[in-house]
């Protein structure tokens, strides 16, 4: 994740707040429907509530949080239908991004992918879910950014961000962490061999595994509400 810099080259207070909130949502510290206490977040980053409030407005525009009158901001809970639609849109866009990107793959890209896979494997052993999620995101966007289609890549990124609150649930299971790492190695092997459609099929199964897991979590929650 990149940070916008101020005039002195350092991240602005708003970007620090935004990065911090994203991390708290990604690691599950801030769960769906949980109220976000702006004063507490401000204390955690040693800032005033003003940049926190501006960061929350950004997250609201992205669909990650919502404002509830008389209660403030909450992490937005997605229903099963919304999650399924999000992953369906991801499949459509990511499949095309890989096809557009494949003529631009080179040794430098594969070295970068290998480095992110190594980071993920270390994070899995250490049960560092945030580091694993961040490396996973970098792994995938190394591929999508080679498409040369920045607007498509930005839209894919927005779809990813809208489900950040649910990603920690998937990585919390040791078997899921192992599966993700193995699937990444299969995807890279297919891409190295020039088997682009095979890699796309592997990526679809990769997403489908996450969807199936989330379905088992979200469906009972919807039934109980």
């Amino acid at each position: 994740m990149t940070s916008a810099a101020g005039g002195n080259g350092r991240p602005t207070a708003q970007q620090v707040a935004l990065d911090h909130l994203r991390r708290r949502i990604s690691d599950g510290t801030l769960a769906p429907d949980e109220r976000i206490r702006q004063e507490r977040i401000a204390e955690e980053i040693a800032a005033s509530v003003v940049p926190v409030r501006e960061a929350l407005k950004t997250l609201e525009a992205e669909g990650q949080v919502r404002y509830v009158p008389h209660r403030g901001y909450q992490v937005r809970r997605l229903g099963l239908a919304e999650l399924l639609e999000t992953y369906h849109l991801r499949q459509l866009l990511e499949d095309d991004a890989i096809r557009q990107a494949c003529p631009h793959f080179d040794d430098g890209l594969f070295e970068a992918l290998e480095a992110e896979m190594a980071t993920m494997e270390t994070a899995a052993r250490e049960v560092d879910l945030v580091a694993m999620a961040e490396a996973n995101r970098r792994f995938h966007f190394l591929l999508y950014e080679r498409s040369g289609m920045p607007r498509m890549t930005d839209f894919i990124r927005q779809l990813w961000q809208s489900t950040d609150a649910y990603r920690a649930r998937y990585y919390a299971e040791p078997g899921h962490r192992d599966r993700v790492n193995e699937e990444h190695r299969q995807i890279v092997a297919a891409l190295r061999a020039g088997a682009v459609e095979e890699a796309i099929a592997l990526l679809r199964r990769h997403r489908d595994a996450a969807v199936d897991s989330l379905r088992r979590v979200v469906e009972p929650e919807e039934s109980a509400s």
Side-chain angles (χ1 to χ4, degrees):
M1 148 187 339
T2 58
S3 296
N8 59 3
R10 300 176 63 182
T12 64
Q14 181 179 338
Q15 188 62 45
V16 170
L18 184 59
D19 288 348
H20 184 71
L21 284 164
R22 287 196 199 282
R23 190 175 181 88
R24 293 286 298 273
I25 292 170
S26 294
D27 68 10
T29 304
L30 292 173
D33 288 341
E34 182 172 350
R35 181 184 176 189
I36 300 171
R37 300 185 181 279
Q38 297 182 40
E39 295 81 3
R40 182 180 300 170
I41 298 297
E43 288 178 6
E44 290 171 356
I45 63 171
S48 72
V49 296
V50 174
V52 175
R53 189 176 303 121
E54 293 304 311
L56 286 167
K57 289 179 181 177
T58 298
L59 293 174
E60 183 181 25
E62 293 176 356
Q64 292 199 67
V65 304
R66 62 174 183 159
Y67 181 78
V68 180
H70 310 300
R71 287 187 56 82
Y73 286 97
Q74 296 177 341
V75 178
R76 185 165 176 261
R77 178 178 295 279
L78 297 180
L80 180 61
E82 290 176 290
L83 283 168
L84 294 177
E85 181 182 6
T86 298
Y87 275 87
H88 177 66
L89 289 170
R90 275 188 51 190
Q91 176 181 311
L92 296 174
L93 293 173
E94 291 173 14
D95 285 3
D96 191 52
I98 294 296
R99 292 189 181 100
Q100 298 292 333
C102 66
H104 309 292
F105 292 165
D106 55 28
D107 290 343
L109 171 66
F110 288 116
E111 289 175 6
L113 292 171
E114 292 283 352
E116 297 301 348
M117 288 192 293
T119 298
M120 287 190 69
E121 289 168 358
T122 299
R125 288 194 300 272
E126 297 175 353
V127 198
D128 187 340
L129 304 187
V130 173
M132 187 168 186
E134 290 176 347
N136 177 65
R137 187 187 300 261
R138 291 193 299 268
F139 173 92
H140 285 274
F141 281 89
L142 281 168
L143 297 172
Y144 306 144
E145 287 166 358
R146 287 298 180 103
S147 68
M149 304 181 75
R151 294 180 69 181
M152 178 189 286
T153 303
D154 283 345
F155 192 26
I156 294 171
R157 186 173 287 107
Q158 290 173 27
L159 293 170
W160 274 63
Q161 289 169 342
S162 71
T163 59
D164 272 349
Y166 294 85
R167 199 157 286 115
R169 295 187 178 194
Y170 185 67
Y171 287 143
E173 294 289 335
H176 292 166
R177 297 195 294 271
D178 293 340
R179 175 174 183 158
V180 166
N181 286 328
E182 176 57 29
E183 288 172 342
H184 280 181
R185 296 215 164 271
Q186 293 173 2
I187 291 163
V188 170
L191 291 173
R192 280 188 181 275
V196 176
E197 293 305 318
E198 179 185 345
I200 288 172
L202 288 166
L203 281 162
R204 287 184 179 180
R205 289 201 291 272
H206 190 55
R207 281 187 299 269
D208 288 347
V211 170
D212 289 343
S213 176
L214 289 174
R215 185 195 296 272
R216 290 193 293 272
V217 171
V218 174
E219 276 185 328
E221 291 178 348
E222 285 193 335
S223 299
S225 62

